[in-house]
Amino acid sequence: MTSAMLATVIALLVLAALAAAVVPRPTQARRLALAGIGAAALLDVILAGAVLAGADAPALVFDTGLPLGSLRLGLDPLSSVFLALVGLLLVPAAIYADGYLAPEQGREPVRGHLAQFALLAGAMTLVVTARDGITFLVAWELLAWASYLAVILEVGEREVSRAAYLMLAVSELGAFGLIAAILAMGGGRFEFSALAAGGAALGEPARSLVFVGLVAGFAAKAGLVPLQLWLPEAHPAAPSHISAILSAAIVKLGLYGIIRFAIVSLPAPEPWWGPALIVVGGVTAVVAIVWALFQSDLKRVLAYSTIENVGIITAAIGLSETFRADGNGTMASMSLVVALFAILAHGLAKGLLFLGAGAVDRATGTRELEQLGGLMRRMPFTGTAVLIGALSIAAVAPLAGFLGEWMVLEVFLQGFRLSALADRVVVVAIGALLALTAATAVMVFARLYAIAFAGQPRSRSAAEAAEVPRSMRAAMGLLAGALLAVGFLPTFVLPVLDHAATGLVGPSVIGQLVPPVFGPDPGPYAPLVALGGGLFGSFLPVQGLIVIPSPVFSTIDSPTYLTLAELGALAILAVVVRAVPRLAVDRHVPVWASGMPRFLPAMQYSALAYSNPVRLIFAVVVRSRTTSSAPTAAFGGLDGIAYGQEVAPPLDRHLYAPIRAATARIANAVKALQSGDINQYVAYIFIVVLLVLLLRTV
């Protein structure tokens, strides 16, 4: 049955691509194609849930007749988690695209884009269902090209084409490392079990070289420093439903690759592997969130935030690897489960935020923060949905993002359990950086929401904005509801993630994450037993609603208690405000505004002014350039002061710019070889043949 379901997913995506190409009426073509993509995505979720619930894993084999052999597809618990995430994001993306693409009816690029969207959905499905290294590499390459094609909806725009090409170039660069590493591990056999055996058989330093090749290859897709340069370019350039998929799903497939190949397929880690991942993740997180604070483009802010969250998750994966190398399987499993939960929470939140950014762009015609403002009154549904996503990414209870970041910080506080002093120092230092990252993220999203949705409109387009079509709102509503559900009921999700992680790096840890509070001795959590047992005791998949309250593990407190305390404080405040009688009489008089006759939108706090204090703090690292000008009015006075700020992308001046310059010099030198002279080309062939003959004789 599961094999038939997987085959049906592939068939639906093929039919969706065909519908986009051959159905004569553009509206019908769009809706049939998106319906096929949505149905396949929903079936992805059902299939993943069935495998995680214990159903037989699907097994499909396609004989290619080529030297690469047969292509094998299937699922295990780990890939099922990522397949479910892909499906959960593709469903709202397909619904959203119906309204987002509607104004483009009759344009041929949209037909092509819908086929490319179906191809992208198929490539993601193939990546997580691949059962051997060769099939995975084929699917990975298909994903790179499908992503490139899906981004360039507006083919005529130079910046879009440049961003898509940069994304493809970085992905292809990483693919070289993946191919070399998987070939070295396989030794002629490429099933995942054979790769694990081959990885274990490698000696030093070959194993470390394979590890570096795998991490570098997948880091190019995940966006880890220094390979993050494509994300801030491609995400703003892509259509918003594709931006959501890029950030929430495709970037996560890079993390899936790290777990699948660099962790699981290399079963005996070297002591430095885990700390190296921790350092790379921590540096990525703090660099990205600082740069996010200086961006003026709404999507670019979200792109840098994606890089930050990928860094946090990579650090958690590295901590799992560090504990595994130290022989602490329980904490290794705990860290991996936490990383998987953070992947899910970030995927849902960032998918919602990119869809919200697309709605803002659709309603106002701009993504520049300085041209927005006051959108909450004009777009209340979109504003509420974006607020939920922003609160989750900023780790505010009780949303899923809060629990994900809380658990990451919690496992980092367990660094004292490591035996090596150097490992403990790395964990403490990066843990402090992650705490700084979390605090800065609050500033980033407070700035984003306040400038875009609060205050007064800063432009006519913002003042005239209206809500987006119903399908776009429905998609955002689905993701907002999922964020709330995962945040309020995480113990419905944690057993699934524990099942996926069990046996990969250590034992099951659900007992430590969710203690048996419905058991005979709930201890200090007895007050919650009656509430939880009465509401969920009959169908709860685990024994409680509390996350990490165990005294042998927790060093802060249960996030369930923190959430209840927050909600309780808000309830008490509301009661007090309503209960306390007014002590003064209302008087309505004009507000004194420092002598100003009226408050103008230009007088509001700008996005640039909001981030300026942080720019001064990180001036040594950021190295921004500021510009100012004072236009002269008609009678010699000043007509205002224009102030601007340029912040180069991370590492651009010291890494990417020299590489670009060197590449240009080499290209100019090589260009002389292309003279157009046929005699010169014949001479090239003669020289090559002569060299081959000489080498053979040697």
Side-chain angles (χ1 to χ4, degrees):
M1 178 64 72
T2 54
S3 297
M5 292 172 67
L6 181 55
T8 303
V9 169
I10 298 172
L12 283 171
L13 294 174
V14 171
L15 291 174
L18 290 175
V22 303
V23 173
R25 294 186 178 180
T27 300
Q28 292 179 350
R30 184 183 78 249
R31 290 181 175 169
L32 284 173
L34 293 175
I37 295 171
L42 186 60
L43 199 55
D44 276 341
V45 177
I46 296 171
L47 174 59
V51 173
L52 289 167
D56 292 335
L60 296 178
V61 179
F62 299 95
D63 187 8
T64 63
L66 300 174
L68 55 83
S70 300
L71 301 179
R72 298 175 178 85
L73 302 179
L75 282 175
D76 61 12
L78 177 63
S79 55
S80 296
V81 168
F82 284 87
L83 182 64
L85 176 62
V86 167
L88 286 172
L89 292 163
L90 279 173
V91 169
I95 296 172
Y96 182 94
D98 183 55
Y100 185 83
L101 297 174
E104 308 290 342
Q105 293 179 16
R107 291 181 57 185
E108 288 303 319
V110 172
R111 284 182 177 272
H113 173 73
L114 290 170
Q116 293 154 8
F117 189 12
L119 177 65
L120 180 63
M124 290 190 289
T125 300
L126 292 177
V127 164
V128 295
T129 57
R131 292 293 90 196
D132 63 82
I134 297 299
T135 305
F136 181 87
L137 289 175
V138 172
W140 193 255
E141 188 67 13
L142 180 63
L143 178 65
W145 283 96
S147 302
Y148 169 78
L149 293 173
V151 167
I152 53 173
L153 174 60
E154 298 294 343
V155 181
E157 293 189 11
R158 180 178 177 84
E159 289 301 317
V160 173
S161 299
R162 178 184 175 278
Y165 180 78
L166 178 62
M167 177 181 67
L168 179 63
V170 174
S171 179
E172 293 300 311
L173 180 65
F176 287 110
L178 297 183
I179 293 171
I182 290 176
L183 289 177
M185 294 168 63
R189 294 188 58 196
F190 299 100
E191 298 86 356
F192 285 161
S193 57
L195 291 178
L202 291 174
E204 279 295 314
R207 295 179 69 254
S208 291
L209 289 175
V210 166
F211 175 80
V212 171
L214 290 170
V215 171
F218 290 119
K221 184 70 71 180
L224 294 172
V225 168
L227 299 173
Q228 84 297 336
L229 68 164
W230 67 270
L231 269 81
E233 303 297 328
H235 287 199
S240 291
H241 54 289
I242 301 299
S243 294
I245 295 300
L246 282 174
S247 178
I250 293 178
V251 165
K252 306 304 183 302
L253 295 183
L255 298 174
Y256 168 74
I258 291 176
I259 297 171
R260 168 67 70 190
F261 291 94
I263 305 298
V264 177
S265 295
L266 291 174
E270 294 298 315
W272 65 270
W273 292 359
L277 281 176
I278 293 174
V279 171
V280 170
V283 171
T284 297
V286 72
V287 168
I289 201 61
V290 168
W291 256 260
L293 194 57
F294 305 131
Q295 306 306 312
S296 60
D297 184 291
L298 186 56
K299 279 191 176 183
R300 198 173 287 270
V301 174
L302 299 179
Y304 274 106
S305 172
T306 294
I307 300 171
E308 173 240 348
N309 281 271
V310 167
I312 292 173
I313 297 166
T314 301
I317 295 172
L319 185 61
S320 173
E321 189 77 337
T322 305
F323 277 120
R324 183 168 69 139
D326 199 50
N328 192 335
T330 298
M331 285 307 305
S333 285
M334 187 82 72
S335 301
L336 185 56
V337 171
V338 165
L340 292 175
F341 189 94
I343 287 172
L344 173 63
H346 175 261
L348 295 174
K350 197 52 63 72
L352 172 59
L353 287 169
F354 268 107
L355 296 186
V360 170
D361 191 9
R362 159 72 181 264
T364 64
T366 181
R367 298 191 306 264
E368 287 295 321
L369 291 176
E370 300 292 5
Q371 299 297 316
L372 301 175
L375 294 181
M376 187 61 181
R377 293 183 179 180
R378 292 154 183 83
M379 305 173 66
F381 188 95
T382 299
T384 302
V386 171
L387 179 61
I388 292 173
L391 291 176
S392 182
I393 287 292
V396 175
L399 295 158
F402 158 73
L403 189 58
E405 286 204 27
W406 186 92
M407 289 195 292
V408 169
L409 293 176
E410 189 70 74
V411 292
F412 266 86
L413 288 173
Q414 309 307 309
F416 67 89
R417 301 177 185 272
L418 294 166
S419 57
L421 176 61
D423 291 345
R424 295 200 297 270
V425 170
V426 168
V427 171
V428 169
I430 299 303
L433 278 182
L434 295 183
L436 173 64
T437 298
T440 309
V442 175
M443 295 182 62
V444 168
F445 284 95
R447 168 182 179 263
L448 181 149
Y449 198 84
I451 300 300
F453 289 90
Q456 299 183 52
R458 292 172 168 81
S459 65
R460 175 171 295 184
S461 60
E464 297 174 354
E467 271 294 3
V468 292
R470 187 177 300 145
S471 64
M472 298 172 69
R473 284 178 281 157
M476 290 186 284
L478 284 175
L479 289 174
L483 273 177
L484 291 169
V486 174
F488 275 106
L489 300 172
T491 51
F492 284 80
V493 178
L494 286 169
V496 176
L497 303 180
D498 177 73
H499 176 51
T502 298
L504 298 182
V505 294
S508 170
V509 292
I510 195 63
Q512 286 86 349
L513 280 165
V514 185
V517 297
F518 292 159
D521 185 20
Y525 301 98
L528 292 182
V529 173
L531 174 63
L535 294 176
F536 304 105
S538 59
F539 61 91
L540 193 66
V542 290
Q543 293 177 301
L545 291 171
I546 305 174
V547 180
I548 319 183
S550 173
V552 300
F553 175 77
S554 181
T555 55
I556 304 176
D557 200 351
S558 165
T560 306
Y561 271 11
L562 296 176
T563 299
L564 292 175
E566 177 185 344
L567 296 177
L570 292 174
I572 292 172
L573 179 62
V575 170
V576 169
V577 168
R578 290 182 174 274
V580 173
R582 295 179 180 270
L583 302 179
V585 178
D586 288 341
R587 291 188 301 169
H588 298 274
V589 296
V591 176
W592 185 76
S594 303
M596 294 184 295
R598 61 192 181 97
F599 190 79
L600 301 175
M603 299 173 182
Q604 299 177 101
Y605 216 55
S606 67
L608 183 62
Y610 195 104
S611 60
N612 201 49
V614 179
R615 181 187 65 83
L616 296 176
I617 294 173
F618 292 98
V620 176
V621 178
V622 176
R623 304 293 297 273
S624 63
R625 297 189 180 99
T626 58
T627 59
S628 61
S629 61
T632 303
F635 297 99
L638 292 180
D639 190 19
I641 298 177
Y643 178 80
Q645 176 177 276
E646 296 180 6
V647 179
L651 305 178
D652 184 75
R653 295 173 187 168
H654 302 293
L655 179 61
Y656 305 136
I659 291 176
R660 288 195 299 268
T663 303
R665 287 195 298 269
I666 294 172
N668 288 329
V670 174
K671 184 172 61 175
L673 297 176
Q674 299 294 329
S675 64
D677 187 348
I678 188 65
N679 294 324
Q680 185 174 343
Y681 296 155
V682 172
Y684 294 159
I685 297 172
F686 174 75
I687 293 171
V688 170
V689 172
L690 182 61
L691 288 175
V692 170
L693 291 174
L694 289 174
L695 290 173
R696 291 191 64 181
T697 58
V698 174

